[in-house]
Amino acid sequence: MVACLLSSRQVSHAGEMGSATEENWRELLRAYLPGRYAVEGGFMIDVDGRESQQLDLIIFDRQYSPVLFETGGVLYVPAESVYGVFEVKQELSRRQVKYAGEKIASARHLRRTSVPIVHAGGEYPPKEPSRILGGILTTLSDWNPLFGDPLANSLRSLSEEQRLDIGCVLQHGAFTTDPHGSIPSLTSGQADLSLVTFVFELLGMLQRVGTASAMDYRQWLEGVSST
């Protein structure tokens, strides 16, 4: 899988290289995430009809939430079902960190509904929608040291809604952040180790999120009826 991610850089056309890289990252996460998670690219949409920017990689609930519709090969996913979104780029830079933050903020701005969940013994109260995870996935970085002041300052310049929680620079390492902007350096130097660390950190984050909130179909129907 690492070889596939690296081989996408051999594609000469920039647009095709970007598409190949995005799909390789999606395939990787499909292979390693539990079956409850779906991984696609597309748009998020909310009950008010608002859309996110186009997102390279969306991790969303496979079991309880539908894909609203697909048109022209583009997927539209209800905001309630989304666990995390990622921007995929070839290289990590201040510009790409800012760009990724803007994409992530467009996902977090959307309104998410929630209703009680019925079970055999009764029902659970509506779950407060969890914060959508956001991250960036790249192959390279020119920063030295990789997890030093340039990256830290770039991440701290983001607003709370833009904040990146996790990232992977395939050939160099993986990182996570906390609400205060601290950046633990998790790995460095080995692509395989970078990837393994990223996947396990992401699995831990998804585990802490739990199950996506149950969308309110009545509100969605009312929104469709009013358009």
Side-chain angles (χ1 to χ4, degrees):
M1 188 57 72
V2 171
C4 289
L5 288 167
L6 294 175
S7 67
S8 63
R9 289 185 57 83
Q10 307 304 315
V11 180
S12 59
H13 188 275
E16 292 177 357
M17 179 170 65
S19 297
T21 303
E22 291 165 19
E23 185 56 31
N24 284 338
W25 276 105
R26 293 180 203 129
E27 287 292 340
L28 179 142
L29 291 183
R30 289 176 190 136
Y32 288 106
L33 294 184
R36 66 184 294 183
Y37 302 107
V39 183
E40 300 289 349
F43 294 85
M44 289 169 56
I45 189 169
D46 73 7
V47 68
D48 302 317
R50 297 182 300 171
E51 294 179 9
S52 68
Q53 295 184 40
Q54 189 163 15
L55 303 163
D56 293 339
L57 194 155
I58 308 171
I59 301 174
F60 61 98
D61 180 73
R62 184 190 297 274
Q63 186 170 358
Y64 295 112
S65 298
V67 170
L68 285 184
F69 55 92
E70 183 176 357
T71 178
V74 179
L75 214 61
Y76 291 82
V77 180
E80 288 89 342
S81 69
V82 174
Y83 294 100
V85 297
F86 287 83
E87 183 67 12
V88 178
K89 293 296 179 187
Q90 294 299 322
E91 295 186 3
L92 186 66
S93 68
R94 183 179 181 86
R95 177 174 173 270
Q96 301 300 3
V97 166
K98 184 176 187 298
Y99 185 70
E102 291 170 353
K103 289 283 197 80
I104 292 164
S106 78
R108 291 173 175 154
H109 283 157
L110 301 181
R111 184 163 76 91
R112 291 176 287 166
T113 62
S114 184
V115 296
I117 299 174
V118 177
H119 59 91
E123 68 177 28
Y124 296 118
K127 178 187 177 184
E128 182 69 22
S130 300
R131 181 177 176 278
I132 292 173
L133 299 173
I136 188 167
L137 305 170
T138 74
T139 305
L140 298 170
S141 174
D142 289 333
W143 280 332
N144 187 19
L146 177 65
F147 300 120
D149 289 340
L151 175 60
N153 292 336
S154 295
L155 292 169
R156 292 190 186 110
S157 71
L158 302 177
S159 69
E160 173 57 27
E161 287 191 325
Q162 296 171 331
R163 181 161 66 85
L164 276 63
D165 303 294
I166 187 171
C168 182
V169 185
L170 187 65
Q171 290 190 341
H172 303 288
F175 69 88
T176 60
T177 68
D178 65 22
H180 307 293
S182 298
I183 309 163
S185 176
L186 299 174
T187 64
S188 61
Q190 300 180 50
D192 286 327
L193 188 57
S194 298
L195 197 54
V196 168
T197 303
F198 164 72
V199 168
F200 274 88
E201 285 291 333
L202 177 59
L203 285 169
M205 289 180 176
L206 292 170
Q207 188 178 60
R208 290 189 289 274
V209 168
T211 303
S213 57
M215 61 190 292
D216 187 334
Y217 290 108
R218 288 183 179 274
Q219 283 197 51
W220 277 87
L221 179 59
E222 289 169 3
V224 171
S225 301
S226 64
T227 59

